[in-house]
Structures are given as structure tokens and as C-alpha cells.
Amino acid sequence: MSPDQVLQLAGILAPAAIIVVGLITGGVIYSTRMKIKNGYPLSGAWGQAVYPKTTHEDGERIKLLSQENAALRAELGSVKDRLANVERIVTDSGYHLTHQIEALRVEQKEVL
């Protein structure tokens, strides 16, 4: 190959190489940004977790939050059961009948 051909080939390959390196760099930056935005841990050169670093305090906090979550779920279950009972009572025909009887008693007292 002559020096002119080498320069011509370098003139063609250099912009392509710059574009490829730019696209790869942009992809890594975008990927890292999305990981940070969505809370995923970042990884170092050897795959070790860089972020978030957990401490003993964080472990205790997670444990307390998990316990609180379990308690709230249990409470929510009991509230749902109570609501189902109230719905059953209200939709029961005897409930409506009782209200009708009470309304008649009130009307009868007003008439007398």
C-alpha cells in the first residue's frame, strides 16, 4: 500500500471510529443514568456493587420497615373482614325491614 492509500483509508476509518466510540460512550452514560434514576445498584469494573452501600443501620431500618409492613398488612386484612361484615349486614333484608319498622314507629309517635 502506498502512503496515499493509507492516508485515504485512515481518513475514512477515523470518523467511523469516532462515531462508534461516541455511541458506546453515550450508551454507557444513558444506561448509568437510568440505573441511578430507577434505583438500581451501580457496578464497578469487576462487578462489585458500588451503590448503594448498606450499613448495619440500613439493615436494622429494613428489618423495622418489614415488621411494620407485616403489621399493616395484618391490620388491613382485619379491616377488610370488618368491611365485609358491615356490607353483609347492610345488604341483608332484615336490616331494611328493621329500618322500615323503626320509621313506622317514628311516624306513629308523630301522629299521636
Side-chain angles (χ1 to χ4, degrees):
M1 284 175 83
S2 71
D4 290 335
Q5 290 176 333
V6 171
L7 286 176
Q8 185 180 13
L9 184 60
I12 293 171
L13 292 179
I18 291 172
I19 290 172
V20 168
V21 169
L23 287 174
I24 291 171
T25 304
V28 169
I29 290 171
Y30 181 75
S31 173
T32 303
R33 180 182 177 278
M34 294 308 290
K35 284 181 182 179
I36 291 170
K37 179 180 175 185
N38 294 312
Y40 289 101
L42 302 177
S43 58
W46 299 100
Q48 75 277 17
V50 174
Y51 173 81
K53 294 182 179 178
T54 57
T55 61
H56 180 68
E57 266 183 30
D58 293 337
E60 290 296 320
R61 186 173 181 205
I62 290 170
K63 187 176 176 182
L64 290 173
L65 288 173
S66 297
Q67 291 172 352
E68 182 182 6
N69 190 10
L72 290 173
R73 286 182 181 270
E75 185 178 346
L76 180 63
S78 67
V79 168
K80 284 182 179 179
D81 291 341
R82 292 175 66 190
L83 180 62
N85 285 334
V86 169
E87 287 175 346
R88 184 180 47 81
I89 291 169
V90 169
T91 57
D92 189 17
S93 62
Y95 180 79
H96 293 297
L97 181 61
T98 304
H99 274 307
Q100 290 173 354
I101 291 171
E102 290 299 321
L104 290 173
R105 285 184 185 161
V106 170
E107 287 178 14
Q108 187 178 21
K109 286 180 183 179
E110 290 175 359
V111 172
L112 295 177

